[in-house]
């Protein structure tokens, strides 16, 4: 295993069977060696698949389409927070106040200023709704499916 003191002129492998591959623009697909070589600015995390212009155009067409509303029932949409990160989770227990305090409370107390989006029980208690509202959480009512052994 190479040490973290690999010289800055070290070059990651361009063998396509390796974890990463050097791209024409000089960036590298998912190659931790770029960090070990001291060149994090050349690191990108892209899928290790050939570029297909037709697929690329199809993706851009889909990106321009309007996003349909979610199938779940939005119970509360928090104002857009200053942070750009998001934590998404599911906690559809009938009662979960202790869990909300530990999860959401610890995030907000420790300075997390991004989105918190959770799926909750459709019959979430009013006390829990008020707490999530105060904490700036967006939450959806989620119906939990009954799973069987055949699934």
């Amino acid at each position: 295993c190479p040490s973290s003191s690999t010289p800055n002129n070290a070059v990651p492998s361009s063998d396509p069977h390796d974890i990463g591959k050097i791209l024409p623009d000089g960036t590298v697909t998912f190659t931790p060696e770029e960090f070990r070589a001291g060149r994090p600015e050349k690191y990108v995390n892209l899928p290790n698949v050939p570029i297909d212009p037709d697929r690329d155009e199809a993706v851009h067409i889909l990106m321009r389409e309007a996003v349909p509303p979610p199938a779940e029932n939005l119970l509360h949409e928090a104002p857009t927070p200053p942070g750009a990160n998001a934590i998404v989770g599911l906690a559809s227990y009938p009662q979960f106040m202790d869990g909300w305090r530990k999860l959401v409370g610890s995030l907000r107390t420790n300075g997390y200023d991004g989105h918190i989006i959770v799926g909750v029980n459709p019959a979430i208690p009013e006390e829990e709704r008020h707490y999530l509202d105060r904490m700036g959480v967006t939450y959806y009512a989620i119906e939990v499916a009954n799973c069987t052994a055949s699934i």
Side-chain angles (χ1 to χ4, degrees), residues 5 13 59 75 83 91-92 99 110 113 116 121 125-126 132 135:
S5 61
S13 172
V59 168
L75 296 179
S92 62
N110 287 293
D113 65 353
I116 301 175
N121 188 294
E126 201 64 31
L132 295 176
M135 291 295 172

Side-chain angles (χ1 to χ4, degrees), residues 29-50:
T29 61
F30 197 69
T31 310
E33 287 78 22
E34 282 298 315
F35 288 106
R36 285 190 280 253
R39 293 186 302 273
E41 72 283 353
K42 292 215 177 249
Y43 173 84
V44 292
N45 189 0
L46 297 173
N48 225 351
V49 296

Side-chain angles (χ1 to χ4, degrees), residues 46-47 49-64:
L46 297 173
V49 296
I51 296 173
D52 178 354
D54 293 332
R55 181 182 178 280
D56 192 46
E57 179 58 27
V59 168
H60 286 341
I61 289 170
L62 288 172
M63 289 172 61
R64 288 189 294 266

